[in-house]
Amino acid sequence: MPIAPNVYDAEPIPDAALAEVTRLLQSGDLFRYTAPQNAPVSLLEAEFAAFLGSRFALAVSSCSAALFLSLRALDLPRGARVLIPGFTFAAVPSAVVHADCVPVLIEVGQNFRIDLADFNARLDDDIAAVIISHMRGHTSDMDAIMAACAQRDIPVIEDAAHSLGTVWKGRNIGTIGRIGCFSFQSYKMINAGEGGILVTDDAEVIARAIIMSGAYEHNWRKHPGVQANFAEWQNRLPLYNMRMSNLSAALIRPQLPEVARRVRDGRANHDHLAGVLNGSDWIEVPPPLPGESRAPDSIQFNLLGFDTDDEVRALLAQTAARGVALQVFGLSQDNARAFWNWRFLGDIPDLPATRAMLMRACDMRLPARLTRAEVDVIGAVILDAVAAVKGDLHRPPLRFGT
Ligand SMILES: *Cc1c(COP(=O)(O)O)cnc(C)c1O
C-alpha cells in the first residue's frame, strides 16, 4: 500500500509575506502603535472585518486572549456563570476561569454539536453569557441557540477558532453572536504560528476590548470608527497587553485571499473521505446540519459497534502501523479536548453523553493541500484497519432468534 501522507506539514506562507516581513525588519517597525496610521495590524483588522462582514475587528495574541477579552468586554461580574460546551479545547474553560467567571458545561451529542435539550435545561436567568465552540468547524444549531439566548437577553460569544470559512444559513460563523473569536495558530485555517482576532458589531464591546488589549494612553485613537466610546473608558479599565505584533499581521494578510481555496479544497477532501468511510457499517461521519456549509481541515467520525476500548486501541494500532495517525479524543492521554482532563476547574461534572462520544470519536487532520490520491490512501488505510479488527467492513446481518 502507498505511503500515507504527512498531515502535519503546513502550507508555505505566500511569497508576499516575505517582502513585507523584510520591510518590517529593516525598519524595525514591529509595534502596532508606532506608525501614525496603516500599521499592518490595523490593515489586517480592516481587511478581516470586511472579509467577514463585521463592523469591527481587534487583532490580539491568540484566540484564547480574544475569548478572555470578550468576557471582560461584556463586563460580567466576578463569579458570573458562563455556559460552555463539554466538548471544546481546554482554552475555553481556561479563558472563563481567567476572566473570574465560572464555567457551566453543556452536553455535546454524537454529532459533535451542542445537545439542545441539555442546553435549554441549563440556560436559566443565572447564566450571564454563553460561549459556543464550533468545534473542528462543526456548527451547532445557531438559530435555536440565538433564539433561546435572545429571549433571556444573554450574550453569545462564538469560539470560531477553527471555523474560519464556515457558513450558517448564508452568515459567516463568528458574526452571528455578539462577538466572534478566531485563531491564527498553525493548525487553523490561517497560519501565523500564533495570533487571534475578535469581531463584533457592538461599538461598546470593541471599545472596551481595544483598551484592555493594551491600547494604553491614547493609542485607541488609531482604531477607526468608535472614537466617541473610548473617552469614557480611558483609565477605567485594566490593560492586559494581548496585542498582536506587526510581524504576525504581515504573515496573516496575504493568507486571507487563500481562504476561499482552502475552504473549497478542504471541503472536497473531507466530503470525499467521508463518503469512503461511510461505506463501512462500523464508521459514521455525521452529516452537516441543514444550512451549514463547512470549512473542514480535519475529519471526525464515530466508531460504531466497538464494544470495548481495547477494540478501539487495536484499530488505532492498525492505522498507526499503516502510517495514519488517528486519535480517539477520550483515549489519548491528557487530551486537551476531554473535559475530565480540565482538572484546573476543581469540580468537574460528569457528562455521560459527551463522555460516550469522546470514547468513540476519531480525529484526524486533513489539510486542504492533500491530493485526492493522498486522501484515498488515508481512506484505504482506515478501512483496511477496520476490516483487520472487525473481520469485515460490514456488520453481519441480524439473524432470527439472536
Ligand atoms: C485552537 C482553538 C482555540 C485556541 O486558540 P489559540 O489561538 O491557540 O488560543 C480555542 N478554541 C478552539 C475550538 C480551538 O480549536
Side-chain angles (χ1 to χ4, degrees), residues 48-376:
F48 198 85
F51 183 73
L52 279 189
S54 290
R55 274 182 79 194
F56 308 111
L58 172 66
V60 291
S61 50
S62 68
C63 181
S64 301
L67 290 165
F68 164 74
L69 288 170
S70 299
L71 291 165
R72 296 289 293 116
L74 290 173
D75 203 16
L76 305 180
R78 187 161 287 176
R81 297 169 76 239
V82 177
L83 271 190
I84 66 167
F87 173 45
T88 182
F89 187 60
V92 174
S94 303
V96 175
V97 170
H98 191 188
D100 259 332
C101 298
V102 177
V104 177
L105 275 49
I106 322 163
E107 286 271 33
V108 171
Q110 280 264 103
N111 63 357
F112 317 130
R113 295 173 173 83
I114 285 180
D115 178 325
L116 281 177
D118 195 55
F119 175 81
N120 286 318
R122 292 180 203 261
L123 190 75
D124 56 34
D125 290 331
D126 210 23
I127 296 294
V130 170
I131 300 181
I132 301 296
S133 275
H134 305 298
M135 222 6 211
R136 294 284 195 272
H138 299 288
T139 304
S140 294
D141 184 340
M142 290 307 288
D143 292 357
I145 288 167
M146 293 308 295
C149 291
Q151 216 170 41
R152 294 175 186 271
D153 205 17
I154 296 174
V156 174
I157 299 168
E158 287 180 82
D159 166 19
H162 211 151
S163 291
L164 181 59
T166 302
V167 175
W168 172 257
K169 299 194 177 167
R171 294 180 69 184
N172 288 317
I173 281 298
T175 66
I176 299 170
R178 181 87 55 90
I179 309 171
C181 301
F182 296 86
S183 174
F184 301 123
Q185 185 266 343
S186 288
Y187 294 162
K188 317 296 166 132
M189 191 62 85
I190 291 181
N191 165 24
E194 302 284 358
I197 198 163
L198 67 83
V199 297
T200 183
D201 287 343
D202 187 317
E204 202 64 27
V205 161
I206 200 73
R208 295 170 52 84
I210 286 170
I211 289 189
M212 287 188 284
S213 76
Y216 63 95
E217 293 166 358
H218 291 87
N219 280 314
W220 49 259
R221 292 206 172 112
K222 292 178 178 167
H223 290 263
V226 277
Q227 307 297 339
N229 305 63
F230 286 95
E232 181 189 345
W233 296 112
Q234 181 79 59
N235 297 334
R236 291 185 48 210
L237 293 169
L239 305 172
Y240 295 106
N241 284 12
M242 295 171 152
R243 295 174 300 253
M244 177 181 278
S245 140
N246 278 339
L247 280 177
S248 301
L251 301 180
I252 295 163
R253 292 179 60 215
Q255 292 183 62
L256 276 176
E258 304 292 318
V259 170
R261 172 192 51 85
R262 291 179 187 171
V263 169
R264 186 188 65 226
D265 293 354
R267 187 185 302 152
N269 282 346
H270 174 280
D271 292 353
H272 176 72
L273 183 57
V276 170
L277 297 180
N278 278 328
S280 169
D281 298 339
W282 306 106
I283 290 180
E284 177 210 29
V285 187
L289 293 188
E292 172 189 10
S293 114
R294 303 199 269 199
D297 62 0
S298 65
I299 189 163
Q300 291 72 41
F301 55 89
N302 295 312
L303 299 174
L304 307 177
F306 279 64
D307 295 330
T308 65
D309 292 351
D310 280 344
E311 212 176 13
V312 178
R313 288 199 182 92
L315 176 75
L316 299 183
Q318 291 281 349
T319 52
R322 292 164 170 81
V324 167
L326 206 57
Q327 273 202 339
V328 168
F329 292 104
L331 283 179
S332 74
Q333 208 188 355
D334 295 327
N335 193 303
R337 299 149 204 88
F339 64 87
W340 54 85
N341 289 326
W342 304 339
R343 288 168 50 195
F344 52 86
L345 293 182
D347 259 355
I348 308 170
D350 198 23
L351 302 172
T354 309
R355 180 182 289 272
M357 177 275 285
L358 290 168
M359 295 309 283
R360 293 294 178 271
C362 297
D363 183 32
M364 192 181 154
R365 284 169 53 72
L366 203 63
R369 64 175 165 74
L370 295 184
T371 63
R372 178 57 55 90
E374 289 173 320
V375 174
D376 278 332

